[in-house]
Amino acid sequence: MSIFPRPQPPAACADCRLRQTQGFQPVTEEELACIQAFRSGTRKVAAGRAVIAELGDPVNLFTLYAGWAFRYKTLSDGRRQILNFLLPGDFIGLQAEFANTATHGVEALTDAQLCVFPQSGLWDFVRRNPKLGYDITWLSASGEQVVDENLVTVGQRNAAERIATLLIRLARRAERAGLVDGDGAFEFPLTQQHIADALGLSLVHTNKTLRKLTQLGLHEIRDGRLRIVKPGALAALADYAARPLRPQPLI
Amino acid sequence: MSIFPRPQPPAACADCRLRQTQGFQPVTEEELACIQAFRSGTRKVAAGRAVIAELGDPVNLFTLYAGWAFRYKTLSDGRRQILNFLLPGDFIGLQAEFANTATHGVEALTDAQLCVFPQSGLWDFVRRNPKLGYDITWLSASGEQVVDENLVTVGQRNAAERIATLLIRLARRAERAGLVDGDGAFEFPLTQQHIADALGLSLVHTNKTLRKLTQLGLHEIRDGRLRIVKPGALAALADYAARPLRPQPLI
DNA sequence: CGTTAATTTGAAGTTTATCAATAACAGTGG
DNA sequence: CCACTGTTATTGATAAACTTCAAATTAACG
């Protein structure tokens, strides 16, 4: 029995656990019905397995309901770049939808539960409910912002700054997703290899730098959980100006 | 008189020079009318001036009609990351729209001509014409793909590979935008500093690496124009698999 | 022309990668 | 419960890539 349960999405979207949190925008009854009608099912993906294969034609869109995942791209010689991490509520598969073929893979970082939507139904869904189409644009634009940030991090920051930036941003997003518990810690399923691949660093250098930050007392990783110990110091290192994360649409 | 004229957008969207090329998806009469009604004017921005200020509340969306621009973010100590380059037909300002405050700046790389749309009118525009809303999602998702690629480049490739990747991708996009002339060359307004800022390299190292590629005969930059001399060799260096660029929606 | 911006080059210094190995840990079957 | 096995984390040593500093050359422009 895991300490991090991964509940299956309920049959009725109205009972969605995520919608009961502050992290997501409210919807009308009618919108909820549209979303429910659009959803074709649910799926469980085990940790380490593909949600979307890096090559091949995707046929589904997903909303991550529980667990963690990440988007990545691989070069032909095996080098892998993690583009971003996905948390509950994130919408998956849009880029592929508009490229008609997957341009990146999505892998489950933990066991994950997903809501499934048929790719072929997207246009119809948007046509019937422009507001939800607008929400999808919102999600797409905000996904791009996350990647923008990551590009700045990888392009301009040194190793310590990169790690500080990653930790602090994940903590913010985990907070919005309601994953942070009473003592300020949250599940942190990334291995150092994931961190390295996300930040464009070697595994060894990632380890040494992470260790340095730990010894400075900036953060703690124990039992698969991360706690930010000195938010101010980490934020300074990351050149991070806190702005409140806004609730996001949930499809 | 410049060798690269920057025509002003015509009064009627029906006369749009861009729509006469193969690079963009066709629209119906009705859609064209919606776009025309959405457009609030045109604007000229001189090379080096801001299209969207990095801080502050943006009030407009734009389509780049002629000229080049780039999106960027700056850290508080001045380090700058160029997120991507913008070519004619690219839509500008979506991310800011959904963040309600600019999260990045957009600067004209050359003199630029733009079509202007009121930010506040976007929802109404989408509501009236879901198909065009869908197109905007398309543009947003495809913008994210470009940034995805750049993140892979900066995170995983070495200096020579980064430069090869940048040159080859810009050449592809320039081709789609109809900017490549008979002898396979196109306007290339980037300074080495821009290249460095886009690739996360120092100016000096960018110069030395660029020079090395030139001496290998892979490309030529002369009189502000770039010609790819050995596409195959450049593509191999960039681990680039050519896939035809699809026509994009044009708002 | 004269002035500023952009490019080019050499030399020295730092960061990060690579190599090689060990230690800690998690899960499995006996 | 323990040995076994594969994954993950840690550490030291060396090499390579890249940055920084400083300065000269070339190009662009009013």
Side-chain angles (χ1 to χ4, degrees):
Chain A
M1 181 60 200
S2 167
I3 38 171
F4 305 114
R6 314 290 174 191
Q8 197 179 352
C13 288
D15 298 332
C16 181
R17 185 175 54 88
L18 295 176
R19 294 193 190 280
Q20 276 137 44
T21 72
Q22 299 303 304
F24 301 96
Q25 295 178 9
V27 286
T28 66
E29 291 282 333
E30 189 195 341
E31 285 161 4
L32 199 60
C34 279
I35 293 169
Q36 176 93 60
F38 184 27
R39 188 175 78 166
S40 61
T42 71
R43 182 177 302 175
K44 180 182 153 124
V45 176
R49 306 300 299 272
V51 175
I52 295 180
E54 195 172 3
L55 300 167
D57 298 335
V59 294
N60 285 314
L61 302 164
F62 304 93
T63 289
L64 183 54
Y65 180 74
W68 291 55
F70 61 90
R71 297 199 307 124
Y72 68 94
K73 279 167 98 65
T74 318
L75 297 183
S76 64
D77 64 0
R79 283 176 285 180
R80 175 177 79 166
Q81 175 68 39
I82 290 181
L83 300 166
N84 63 347
F85 293 98
L86 301 169
L87 269 58
D90 283 336
F91 195 65
I92 300 175
L94 260 192
Q95 302 88 350
E97 156 71 12
F98 289 102
N100 263 354
T101 174
T103 53
H104 62 262
V106 177
E107 183 177 315
L109 196 50
T110 66
D111 286 350
Q113 292 280 358
L114 305 138
C115 295
V116 185
F117 306 92
Q119 196 213 43
S120 59
L122 180 60
W123 160 234
D124 202 52
F125 174 71
V126 169
R127 182 164 55 83
R128 287 178 134 86
N129 199 321
K131 171 58 168 60
L132 294 174
Y134 194 71
D135 283 348
I136 285 179
T137 307
W138 198 108
L139 289 169
S140 174
S142 111
E144 178 167 353
Q145 284 199 40
V146 173
V147 184
D148 282 354
E149 300 278 9
N150 291 345
L151 178 52
V152 174
T153 296
V154 173
Q156 302 298 326
R157 293 188 237 249
N158 64 30
E161 294 168 343
R162 290 186 207 188
I163 290 180
T165 304
L166 177 67
L167 297 185
I168 216 166
R169 300 208 118 92
L170 283 178
R172 295 302 307 288
R173 291 178 58 203
E175 196 181 343
R176 174 172 60 177
L179 301 175
V180 178
D181 67 17
D183 33 322
F186 61 99
E187 175 189 14
F188 190 77
L190 318 204
T191 66
Q192 294 184 358
Q193 185 67 65
H194 290 122
I195 299 176
D197 287 349
L199 298 180
L201 296 171
S202 71
L203 176 59
V204 172
H205 197 57
T206 299
N207 175 278
K208 287 173 180 169
T209 309
L210 203 45
R211 190 123 274 278
K212 203 163 59 185
L213 297 193
T214 306
Q215 269 153 18
L216 289 173
L218 301 191
H219 75 281
E220 254 173 35
I221 297 178
R222 252 211 321 266
D223 303 328
R225 301 178 69 76
L226 166 64
R227 173 195 274 99
I228 307 290
V229 179
K230 296 186 182 166
L234 258 192
L237 193 52
D239 191 42
Y240 180 78
R243 282 197 275 146
L245 290 191
R246 307 159 74 222
Q248 62 183 13
L250 178 63
I251 301 296
Chain B
M1 183 57 201
S2 166
I3 41 172
F4 304 115
R6 314 291 175 193
Q8 196 180 350
C13 289
D15 299 332
C16 181
R17 185 176 54 88
L18 296 176
R19 292 191 190 281
Q20 276 136 47
T21 73
Q22 299 302 304
F24 301 96
Q25 295 177 8
V27 287
T28 66
E29 291 283 333
E30 188 196 341
E31 284 160 7
L32 199 60
C34 280
I35 293 170
Q36 177 92 59
F38 184 27
R39 189 176 76 166
S40 61
T42 71
R43 181 177 301 176
K44 180 183 154 127
V45 176
R49 305 301 298 273
V51 175
I52 294 180
E54 194 172 3
L55 299 167
D57 298 335
V59 294
N60 286 312
L61 301 164
F62 305 92
T63 290
L64 183 54
Y65 180 74
W68 291 55
F70 61 88
R71 296 200 306 124
Y72 67 96
K73 279 167 99 62
T74 318
L75 297 182
S76 64
D77 65 359
R79 283 175 285 178
R80 175 177 78 167
Q81 175 68 38
I82 291 181
L83 301 166
N84 64 346
F85 293 97
L86 302 169
L87 269 58
D90 284 336
F91 196 64
I92 300 175
L94 261 191
Q95 301 88 351
E97 156 73 12
F98 290 102
N100 263 353
T101 174
T103 53
H104 62 261
V106 177
E107 182 177 315
L109 196 50
T110 66
D111 287 350
Q113 291 280 356
L114 304 139
C115 295
V116 185
F117 306 91
Q119 196 214 43
S120 59
L122 181 61
W123 161 235
D124 203 52
F125 174 72
V126 169
R127 183 165 54 84
R128 288 179 133 87
N129 199 321
K131 171 56 168 62
L132 294 174
Y134 195 70
D135 283 348
I136 285 179
T137 307
W138 198 108
L139 288 169
S140 175
S142 111
E144 177 167 353
Q145 284 200 39
V146 173
V147 184
D148 282 353
E149 300 277 9
N150 291 345
L151 179 52
V152 174
T153 296
V154 173
Q156 302 298 326
R157 292 188 237 248
N158 66 28
E161 294 167 342
R162 290 186 207 188
I163 291 180
T165 304
L166 177 66
L167 297 185
I168 215 166
R169 299 210 119 93
L170 283 179
R172 294 304 305 289
R173 291 178 58 204
E175 196 180 344
R176 176 172 59 177
L179 300 176
V180 178
D181 66 18
D183 34 322
F186 61 99
E187 175 190 13
F188 190 77
L190 318 206
T191 66
Q192 294 184 0
Q193 185 68 63
H194 290 122
I195 299 177
D197 287 349
L199 298 179
L201 296 170
S202 70
L203 175 59
V204 172
H205 197 58
T206 299
N207 175 277
K208 287 173 180 169
T209 308
L210 203 46
R211 188 124 277 276
K212 203 163 61 185
L213 297 193
T214 306
Q215 269 153 19
L216 289 173
L218 301 191
H219 75 282
E220 254 174 33
I221 298 178
R222 253 211 322 264
D223 305 326
R225 302 177 70 75
L226 167 64
R227 184 209 314 285
I228 306 290
V229 179
K230 296 186 182 166
L234 259 192
L237 193 51
D239 191 41
Y240 180 79
R243 281 197 277 145
L245 289 191
R246 306 159 72 221
Q248 62 182 15
L250 177 62
I251 301 296

